[in-house]
Amino acid sequence: MQLIKQHIERDGSGTITLKPEDPEDMWYAYNLIQPTDLLKAQALRRVTTTSATGSTSSTRMHITLLIRVRHTDFDPQASTLHVSGQIAAETPHAKIGQFHTLDLELQRNFTLEKAEGWDSVAREVVREACESGSKRMGAWAVVMQEGEAAIVGLGGERTVVRARVKVDVPRKKGGRGHDKGLEKFFQTLLDTLLRHIDLAETLPVLLASPGYTAGLFQKFIVETATRTGNKALLAQKGSFLVVHSSSGNVHALNEVLQSPEVQARLKDTRYTRETKLMDDFMTLLRKDDGRAWYGPKEVEMAVEKGAVGRGGGVLLISNGLFRAQDVAIRKRWVTLVDKVKDNEGGEVRVLSSEHESGKRLEGLGGIAAILTFPLDDLDDDQEDDDQTAQGEAVNTETT
């Protein structure tokens, strides 16, 4: 994502203009744009004109529209984002209040004004979106079997299939046709891979397959780089790691990422750090020593008691909570994040709902915490509060 222009006042009001440059940027835009925000972007709209004789004609025109957002629709497979709402500024071809859907596109600017101002979480999303590719993309993976492969980018926010390759390879091994077919497959796969990775950046590239296909492809890469004198590719040969997988389907990637060998190689990536945090949390939860709590009320009570602060306190929160339609709900979580970071000095990790660690967290209500000191019976305290509230309600009704 490219930051084109930014104008934010001290009170958080103002606008930011961004330009999406790759498919993952649409995911960041989806997490940034909320209902009631003002969004300005180019649109293709059908315009009807009436001639002097009374005849009408209809044409499609590119115009710039400003809409008040009502709904966002993100397709994770195609990485497309559709934003619908009501037109908020009149143009010669559109009236205020009319409904329209803006289709955000790569390489086209959009300008966003947050209805409730640019809070700390929204600004952090912009910062992460505008980071360089090497910081955002933790690693690459090629999951393959003979004749088929998927090239996958392991980003900070989600895992994206960037390309698929399919080449017919005769099944009869050892024959000339099989060897030529396999060589064509490897060459096509390598050409496709080089169109996506930046050889100037040293990132791990996992080559996973059942059998020996991944190992043969690694050998083909080194031989091709040596034969063609591709020094940049040859310098990256240490980045390629061959890993066994149970199948050549992209779904085998989760299994690959769990292997100790891969986790050791990816130890400095955001994906692995967040996976380790969730593992640490689950270990503490099983110990049941009062240092791991999950659930909205329980975590809020732990923060209120100062237990998620300096010295090891970690707040784990799903980015899905910040996509709440209700502004008050979003403010609730932004306030909690700010309190842990700014007041208590604890660590905050916003986990992506598209990653395995984020999905595990969503299974716990989307929020959890590792405490600096143990707290017992937070759930009992919550039950007492609920009973007190119910009793007060009964007394009020009786009165």
Side-chain angles (χ1 to χ4, degrees), residues 308-321:
V308 192
R310 293 179 180 84
V314 183
L315 174 66
L316 303 168
I317 186 166
S318 168
N319 60 7
L321 294 182

Side-chain angles (χ1 to χ4, degrees), residues 47-184:
V47 177
T48 302
T49 55
T50 304
S51 67
T53 61
S55 62
T56 60
S57 61
S58 180
T59 57
R60 296 177 73 84
M61 297 178 59
H62 280 284
I63 58 177
T64 299
L65 290 178
L66 177 71
I67 68 170
R68 177 75 65 180
V69 177
R70 295 192 66 177
H71 179 70
T72 56
D73 180 24
F74 178 70
D75 183 343
Q77 299 302 319
S79 292
T80 56
L81 179 59
H82 313 289
V83 185
S84 59
Q86 289 180 279
I87 294 172
E90 191 161 337
T91 74
H93 306 295
K95 295 181 179 180
I96 292 178
Q98 290 181 326
F99 286 89
H100 189 85
T101 298
L102 293 173
D103 299 323
L104 298 191
E105 300 177 10
L106 297 181
Q107 307 304 327
R108 285 189 183 274
N109 296 356
F110 68 86
T111 300
L112 185 65
E113 180 178 348
K114 304 294 290 181
E116 299 296 323
W118 289 88
D119 57 44
S120 62
V121 173
R123 294 190 195 197
E124 181 64 15
V125 172
V126 173
R127 187 194 66 77
E128 289 184 5
C130 295
E131 282 184 338
S132 65
S134 60
K135 291 182 179 179
R136 278 175 39 184
M137 192 61 66
W140 291 90
V142 183
V143 186
M144 72 185 84
Q145 58 191 21
E146 285 193 1
E148 293 184 29
I151 298 172
V152 183
L154 305 177
E157 285 290 318
R158 64 193 190 111
T159 301
V160 185
V161 177
R162 293 302 184 91
R164 294 183 184 272
V165 174
K166 189 170 184 178
V167 175
D168 287 333
V169 177
R171 291 189 176 185
K172 188 176 180 180
K173 296 186 178 182
R176 186 176 179 184
H178 175 271
D179 293 345
K180 289 189 69 175
L182 191 60
E183 183 178 351
K184 182 181 178 182

